[in-house]
Amino acid sequence: MTMIAKLHRRDFIKLGAAAGGSLLLAVYFPTRGRVEMASDTDWQPSAFLRVDPDGTVTVWVGRTDMGQGVRTALPMIVADELDADWQRVQVVQADADPGKYGRMMTVGSTSIRRDAWMPLRQAGAAARQMLVAAAAARWGVSAASCRTEESTVIHRDSNRRAAYGDLVGEAARLPVPDDPRLKQPSEFRLIGRDIPQLDTPHKVTGKAAFGMDIRRPGMVFATVVHCPVFGGSLRSVDDQAARQVPGVRDVVRISRGIAVIADGTWAAFTGADALQITWDESGFTLNSDDISASMSRLMSSDAMVARQVGDADAALRSSTQRIEATYSAPYLAHATMEPMNCTADVRPNRCEIWVPTQNPQGDQRIAAGLTGLPMEKVTVHVTLTGCGWGRRSTGEFVEEAVEISQKVGAPVQLVWT
C-alpha cells in the first residue's frame, strides 16, 4: 500500500490487500480538514471489509448498537453495494481505538448520516468492481459484459459463474478503483427494505451478551453509593452492618462515593443499603424538588403558543369527559433498561474493559489516565447495550470500575442500581 503523508478530506478507501488469501478493504471516513501522519505505515483506516475464500463477508462496525440496529444497518449498506449474499455476511464489533475506526461516539442518530453512508457504499462498490474485473480477466471478456448477484459474478452471454470467494486472490492484486459506480436507488436489494436485525435471534433466545452478562475468572461484583446531590461530599460512614451482610467482601472509599465489593450483585446492593452515611450537601442550591416546583408554577401560567391548529380550548369545554394527569421523573433519570455497568480488569501492564458504552474512545482515555498506561495497553470491548439515551456517553461508571479494580486487584463488575 502506498499512502501520502497528508490525507485530504475524502470519502473513500486506500487499501486493497491480500490477508490470508482474503480481499481486505480499509474504509477511510472523512474528517474535517487535514490528517497529519508521521509516515505511510502509521495511517490506520477507519473500518474494514473482508471477503474470505469461503465466501464469508465480514464487516467491522465501530458504532454501538443500543437497539437502533446499526450492527445490521451498516453491514447492509456495504452488502448491498457489494451484491453480497446477505446470509454470508457476519459482523464484528470493533474494540475502541484512538483512530482506526474514526469517531466511535454513538449519539444523535449520527451513525449512518454523519459519515458512514457514502464511504461504506463506495467500499462495497469498489470491492464488487474488483471482483468483476478479476472474473473478466479470468474469462478473457470485458467487465461490462458481467453482472453480480448474491456473491457471484455472472457472464451475461455464456452464463459462466464465479463465486466471490473463488476470486478474492486475483481481486486483491488489482488496484482499488477511485470512483466505483454506485447503484441507483432502484437497484437496492437491502437498503430501504425491512431486514430483520442480525442479533434478534440471540436476543430472543438469551444468547446475546450484554454488559451485565460478562463473566471473568476471579471476578467480584460491586456497586457504589453516591451523594444524592451533585457537588456533595462524604462526612462520615459506618460500614459495620454492611460488612456483616453475607457475601460482602469489602467496603472501600473511591473518588465519587462508597463502593461495596461482594460475591454477587445482590449482596453488594444489600450491603450498600446497610451503610450508614452522612453527606455534606452544603452549598448546593438546586435539587429535583426545586425543579419540579418551578415547572408546576410555569404550567399554571399562560403558555406561549408555538402553533395552533383548530380551537383546543373550545374542544375541551364541549367534551363530556376530561382526564387529567401529571407525570414527573427525577432529573437525569435516563431510565435505561439495562442498569449502568462496567467490567474492568486492571493489571500492572494492561487494562481490559467490557462495557455497554456510547463512547468507547472516551472510556479508553479515562482508563489510560487513571492507570497511567499508554492507550494501546487499554482494551475496551463494546458489548450489546440495553438502551443508551445518551447516558452511556459519559464515563464516570467506567472510571469507578477501573478505580475499584485497582483497589481490589481483581476483575470487577460494577453495577449501579
Side-chain angles (χ1 to χ4, degrees):
M1 180 183 75
T2 300
M3 281 298 302
I4 56 175
K6 294 181 180 179
L7 298 173
H8 295 275
R9 180 183 174 114
R10 300 188 62 183
D11 290 339
F12 196 38
I13 56 179
K14 274 298 177 182
L15 173 64
S22 303
L23 173 63
L24 177 68
L25 294 181
V27 186
Y28 167 54
F29 291 149
T31 59
R32 291 185 175 89
R34 300 162 75 89
V35 182
E36 304 293 335
M37 300 296 172
S39 67
D40 294 353
T41 56
D42 287 339
W43 183 72
Q44 290 184 300
S46 296
F48 293 104
L49 158 65
R50 189 180 70 208
V51 183
D52 290 330
D54 66 358
T56 301
V57 175
T58 303
V59 180
W60 277 257
V61 173
R63 296 301 180 100
T64 301
D65 200 317
M66 298 169 281
Q68 84 278 33
V70 291
R71 293 219 298 199
T72 299
L74 296 179
M76 279 173 60
I77 297 171
V78 180
D80 206 331
E81 289 289 355
L82 179 60
D83 259 344
D85 179 355
W86 184 240
Q87 303 304 315
R88 304 299 303 277
V89 175
Q90 66 178 13
V91 181
V92 175
Q93 180 69 51
D95 292 338
D97 189 279
K100 187 175 185 179
Y101 300 101
R103 179 180 183 265
M104 299 177 74
M105 174 82 86
T106 309
V107 291
S109 303
T110 59
S111 295
I112 292 174
R113 65 179 172 85
R114 186 178 187 271
D115 49 20
W117 168 249
M118 190 56 67
L120 291 181
R121 288 187 64 191
Q122 290 177 312
R128 183 185 75 238
Q129 187 170 319
M130 294 165 70
L131 290 161
V132 168
R138 177 187 291 185
W139 297 328
V141 300
S142 68
S145 66
C146 300
R147 65 182 181 88
T148 55
E149 177 184 298
E150 296 289 332
S151 292
T152 304
V153 181
I154 304 168
H155 183 231
R156 290 189 178 89
D157 296 335
S158 65
N159 204 34
R160 281 177 287 186
R161 294 169 177 261
Y164 282 179
D166 295 335
L167 295 167
V168 293
E170 297 153 76
R173 291 190 289 269
L174 298 175
V176 180
D178 286 328
D179 190 21
R181 188 192 78 83
L182 301 178
K183 286 184 175 182
Q184 295 298 313
S186 60
E187 299 175 274
F188 290 156
R189 295 184 306 106
L190 299 172
I191 297 171
R193 304 295 173 86
D194 185 9
I195 303 297
Q197 292 190 26
L198 294 174
D199 50 21
T200 295
H202 281 179
K203 290 178 178 177
V204 171
T205 58
K207 296 178 181 178
F210 289 80
M212 291 178 64
D213 295 315
I214 298 299
R215 294 293 182 269
R216 304 300 300 167
M219 186 178 84
V220 295
F221 296 81
T223 194
V224 174
V225 181
H226 305 99
C227 182
V229 300
F230 290 117
S233 60
L234 178 69
R235 280 185 177 172
S236 65
V237 58
D238 182 348
D239 60 14
Q240 292 304 307
R243 291 181 181 275
Q244 299 304 311
V245 172
V248 170
R249 293 190 177 195
D250 202 358
V251 178
V252 299
R253 297 190 184 190
I254 62 172
S255 56
R256 298 185 64 253
I258 306 295
V260 179
I261 296 93
D263 294 330
T265 304
W266 182 251
F269 285 175
T270 305
D273 288 340
L275 291 171
Q276 300 296 315
I277 304 176
T278 302
W279 300 101
D280 181 359
E281 302 176 10
S282 62
F284 195 78
T285 58
L286 189 67
N287 57 40
S288 293
D289 290 339
D290 294 336
I291 294 172
S292 296
S294 175
M295 288 184 171
S296 295
R297 287 194 300 272
L298 290 170
M299 289 173 63
S300 64
S301 60
D302 292 336
M304 292 187 298
V305 177
R307 181 179 178 186
Q308 182 167 315
V309 178
D311 191 340
D313 291 333
L316 289 171
R317 285 194 300 270
S318 63
S319 64
T320 59
Q321 184 180 23
R322 293 180 64 174
I323 298 173
E324 182 174 330
T326 301
Y327 298 89
S328 62
Y331 186 57
L332 282 180
H334 287 282
T336 55
M337 291 180 68
E338 178 189 15
M340 307 302 289
N341 69 91
C342 176
T343 301
D345 185 4
V346 181
R347 303 297 174 92
N349 60 349
R350 65 174 177 83
C351 174
E352 196 165 7
I353 294 169
W354 296 261
V355 59
T357 177
Q358 294 175 250
N359 187 15
Q361 291 160 324
D363 298 339
Q364 190 178 37
R365 289 190 294 270
I366 287 172
L370 279 173
T371 60
L373 294 169
M375 291 279 281
E376 61 269 18
K377 294 295 184 180
V378 177
T379 303
V380 178
H381 306 288
V382 180
T383 67
L384 282 174
T385 302
C387 299
W389 311 129
R391 181 62 187 87
R392 301 187 194 273
S393 61
T394 60
E396 63 271 50
F397 60 107
V398 176
E399 176 184 342
E400 291 179 352
V402 170
E403 187 176 352
I404 296 169
S405 180
Q406 285 179 299
K407 286 182 178 293
V408 302
V412 60
Q413 183 174 102
L414 170 67
V415 182
W416 285 4
T417 57

